[in-house]
Amino acid sequence: MNFNPNDLVGILPAVILTLGGCALMTTEVFLRKDGPDRRYQPFLAAVFGLIALYVSLSQLGDPSATLFAGAAVADGIGRSISAVVSGTLVLSVLLAAGYLETLSASRGEFYALALFSAAGMCLLSQATDLIVVFIALEVMSLAVYSLTAWLRKGTKPAEAAFKYFVLGSFASAIFLYGAALAFGAAGSTRIADLALAVRNANAGSSMLVYAAGALLTVGFAFKVAAFPFHMWVPDVYDGAPAPVTGFMAAGVKAAAFATLARILIGGFGDVGASMGPHGWQSLIVLLAGATMLVGNVLAVPQRSVKRMLAYSSIAHAGYLLVSIAAMAGSEPRQDAVFGLVFYLASYAATVIGAFGIVALIERKLAPTGASDDLTTWGGLAQKHPLLAAAMSLFMLSLAGVPPTAGFMGKLGIFRAAIEAGLVPLAIFGVLTSAAGLYYYLRVVVYIYMVPSTKPEPVVGGRMLTAGVALAACAVLVIWMGVQPGAFATLTQSSLAGFGK
Amino acid sequence: MVGPLHYLVLAAALFALGAVGVVIRRNAIIVLMSIELMLNAVNLTFLTFSRFPLVVKGNDAPIAGHAAVFYVIAVAAAEAAVGLAIVIAVFRSRLTVNVDEIDSLKN
């Protein structure tokens, strides 16, 4: 196996993000402890994110290419997810800038860790070798664990990071055991060789193959927060700084779902829909249904908006699993793949905006360790009408009300499910998302109809930076809802070289 | 005669012990040790399949398993570093590493 430097072009977004992380890490050493000279750091991080975004968008139409002798691939879905991750990074660091300054936690390592984590997400979406998947997964996760523990005041951040770390490492170990068994069955850790082993499985090796498939899926079910592996989500999302939570919800989910699809379709695609105990489609259908139900039901009693959004992210993992289940059928899988990528992009824009506004509210609450109870949101419309409008827009998009991005995303996924013959699952999904309307609209009701009992809800500077990022999220949410065709290049190129 | 099955069963037993340890042990440090045990069980599995391959791919197949183990060891070291740092952060904020007492995020 020879190293070909041209292959680096295929993973250029990850390379750019890594270089950016190194640059921020190195320059941090030369700055004074407190002072004005670290104000440029979020913008430097955003510039690197924008370059990575530009590169992944400009490579969208290119033919797919195998990199590093089959260890990774530069294909449509990898590039689309890289674009989503880079955009997520840019918006998150802009929202984090003022948040960290207000809480006097502004240090360059934050942005360096965010860039490293985004690099891991890009690599994860391009990996076609289980060991490369593992390394990219850990590059992503280790950085996110550290970001979760970023605030040193109070007991919540360290506790959230500890829970995330223990369950995340547990999931990685389970995934890795699956990779080892797959290596045994296939004689190689390449997903393509695993597909050969699945196709030629005989009585002796079939148990090994199925155990490997189960362990690999369970490992990623933890990462994407599918039922019954969702218990860590509320605590971690609640305890982490709100801009990090948005980054985590959008970026980690995008990368993990792309990889789950790649492993299940690329490695086990041949046994996806076959009946009996060996087809994994029925299993994913059950998982998707249970995840949608649990996420939506548990979100209802939540009084904290941040915690409610955490449970809602479980529900959204369920909708995304519907698209994975729809892919399990025979080809063409294009509608399900389009649906997955579009949903991930629309969910990223929406959830970063929502957590961005939670971050503005949390600036005031974080030093005292209080949670953002619904009453904190009362009267937001009188004091900050634009923020109130934006939050309502994000809530409507999460609930899937037209004309927002969330509606088009759900439409795409449920249409793909119906075309794949999963009509009961699609109906169940629509019903659970209708139940979701209740807790999303409750936030809107508090914002507009409940009078304020508390003083000024938003403190701190950098409102312009945060405002620009929130406006970008809001524009994307409306644009994707009104004109989804404008994003066709993003979604349709995602099929290139995938799932063959 | 010790064959591949012995190693695989040993690895599976170690993995199960590690998984049980993560779930039932109360000390955060022992939880971290249990995760390391799971990763080492994986290493043993990789090495077993390298030493006694079921399927031979080209001539570099035995090496692939050994290489994988090195990656896992390196990543496990990084993971332990971050994990211990987080445990220290937990200890500084509440002066205990008992998992049962780390429960302020419940409602």
Side-chain angles (χ1 to χ4, degrees):
Chain A
M1 180 162 62
N2 292 318
F3 175 71
N4 181 1
N6 290 335
D7 286 352
L8 287 175
V9 177
I11 56 162
L12 202 51
V15 172
I16 292 167
L17 293 168
T18 310
L19 289 177
C22 292
L24 275 157
M25 205 76 150
T26 317
T27 52
E28 167 74 16
V29 180
F30 300 104
L31 302 179
R32 275 165 293 168
K33 189 157 181 297
D34 296 301
D37 49 358
R38 51 188 70 228
R39 290 178 159 255
Y40 71 92
Q41 282 167 331
F43 300 106
L44 186 60
V47 165
F48 277 106
L50 280 175
I51 298 175
L53 175 64
Y54 173 76
V55 168
S56 27
L57 287 179
S58 67
Q59 288 181 342
L60 266 184
D62 296 358
S64 64
T66 309
L67 310 172
F68 306 113
V73 67
D75 63 355
I77 195 161
R79 288 170 184 140
S80 316
I81 298 297
S82 296
V84 171
V85 165
S86 309
T88 300
L89 174 78
V90 173
L91 296 170
S92 301
V93 295
L94 291 181
L95 287 164
Y99 181 86
L100 294 177
E101 273 183 20
T102 310
L103 298 174
S104 342
S106 187
R107 291 187 298 279
E109 291 95 339
F110 181 92
Y111 305 104
L113 283 169
L115 284 163
F116 287 136
S117 159
M121 291 171 193
C122 292
L123 276 183
L124 186 56
S125 66
Q126 294 187 301
T128 51
D129 184 306
L130 293 174
I131 285 298
V132 180
V133 169
F134 173 67
I135 293 169
L137 184 69
E138 289 296 304
V139 169
M140 170 183 89
S141 304
L142 290 178
V144 176
Y145 303 149
S146 319
L147 288 177
T148 305
W150 189 254
L151 297 179
R152 307 304 293 274
K153 291 170 191 144
T155 54
K156 275 163 73 177
E159 177 181 337
F162 179 72
K163 287 179 174 166
Y164 196 16
F165 175 83
V166 169
L167 287 173
S169 309
F170 189 66
S172 299
I174 290 176
F175 168 83
L176 201 57
Y177 197 51
L181 296 184
F183 172 71
S188 140
T189 46
R190 299 274 193 272
I191 293 176
D193 291 333
L194 178 58
L196 273 179
V198 172
R199 205 167 297 147
N200 305 327
N202 51 32
S205 69
S206 65
M207 283 316 288
L208 204 55
V209 167
Y210 295 132
L215 289 166
L216 294 173
T217 312
V218 167
F220 268 92
F222 261 107
K223 288 285 167 191
V224 304
F227 177 84
F229 312 109
H230 65 280
M231 273 84 80
W232 57 273
V233 177
D235 289 354
V236 172
Y237 279 28
D238 190 9
V244 174
T245 315
F247 181 61
M248 201 151 68
V252 173
K253 209 169 234 128
F257 262 106
T259 315
L260 180 62
R262 205 187 278 289
I263 291 173
L264 284 178
I265 306 299
F268 298 89
D270 290 345
V271 290
S274 53
M275 296 309 284
H278 303 324
W280 49 266
Q281 187 184 32
S282 47
L283 204 64
I284 297 284
V285 166
L286 281 178
L287 221 56
T291 308
M292 291 188 291
L293 184 68
V294 167
N296 278 313
V297 168
L298 291 183
V300 169
Q302 301 305 322
R303 295 284 304 171
S304 154
V305 173
K306 207 177 177 191
R307 246 183 131 76
M308 180 277 279
L309 285 172
Y311 282 105
S312 113
S313 95
I314 299 172
H316 285 273
Y319 305 135
L320 286 159
L321 279 172
V322 171
S323 75
I324 304 267
M327 277 179 217
S330 54
E331 304 209 32
R333 312 189 156 103
Q334 52 182 15
D335 280 333
V337 179
F338 296 168
L340 178 71
V341 172
F342 188 88
Y343 199 98
L344 286 170
S346 69
Y347 182 67
T350 313
V351 84
I352 288 178
F355 277 113
I357 297 180
V358 171
L360 289 179
I361 302 283
E362 200 182 74
R363 284 179 182 188
K364 192 171 176 186
L365 302 172
T368 60
S371 74
D372 62 332
D373 188 84
L374 274 170
T375 50
T376 324
W377 294 78
L380 189 68
Q382 285 109 49
K383 284 169 181 154
H384 299 277
L386 280 175
L387 280 185
M391 190 65 182
S392 313
L393 176 69
F394 299 138
M395 289 297 117
L396 290 179
S397 176
L398 285 173
V401 175
T404 57
F407 171 72
M408 294 311 299
K410 283 203 177 66
L411 186 67
I413 277 187
F414 291 136
R415 191 170 54 197
I418 288 169
E419 274 168 23
L422 302 170
V423 180
L425 184 67
I427 293 174
F428 186 69
V430 173
L431 288 178
T432 56
S433 73
L437 265 174
Y438 168 71
Y439 56 83
Y440 291 122
L441 290 182
R442 191 169 55 181
V443 178
V444 181
V445 166
Y446 266 86
I447 288 176
Y448 279 98
M449 296 179 189
V450 175
S452 169
T453 53
K454 306 253 166 74
E456 174 63 20
V458 179
V459 294
R462 291 277 176 130
M463 289 299 284
L464 183 64
T465 317
V468 167
L470 288 175
C473 292
V475 167
L476 277 172
V477 166
I478 296 178
W479 193 11
M480 291 179 108
V482 176
Q483 240 190 338
F487 295 83
T489 25
L490 182 72
T491 52
Q492 288 180 3
S493 65
S494 63
L495 200 65
F498 177 72
K500 294 292 180 296
Chain B
M1 175 64 193
V2 177
L5 198 61
H6 295 86
Y7 291 107
L8 289 178
V9 169
L10 174 65
L14 284 176
F15 190 83
L17 275 178
V20 170
V22 171
V23 176
I24 67 168
R25 292 309 292 257
R26 300 276 66 111
N27 187 316
I29 303 288
I30 296 184
V31 170
L32 292 193
M33 287 163 60
S34 302
I35 290 170
E36 294 295 313
L37 190 61
M38 292 170 79
L39 292 178
N40 283 319
V42 171
N43 284 342
L44 191 56
T45 310
F46 266 119
L47 289 176
T48 309
F49 283 126
S50 253
R51 183 72 180 75
F52 307 97
L54 299 178
V55 187
V56 179
K57 289 267 176 215
N59 32 8
D60 64 352
I63 300 301
H66 289 88
V69 170
F70 278 108
Y71 285 117
V72 175
I73 292 172
V75 171
E79 204 173 79
V82 172
L84 285 172
I86 290 174
V87 170
I88 290 171
V90 169
F91 182 76
R92 278 159 61 125
S93 67
R94 55 178 81 221
L95 299 179
T96 177
V97 289
N98 187 332
V99 178
D100 282 340
E101 292 170 38
I102 306 178
D103 59 356
S104 63
L105 282 168
K106 283 199 181 125
N107 61 340

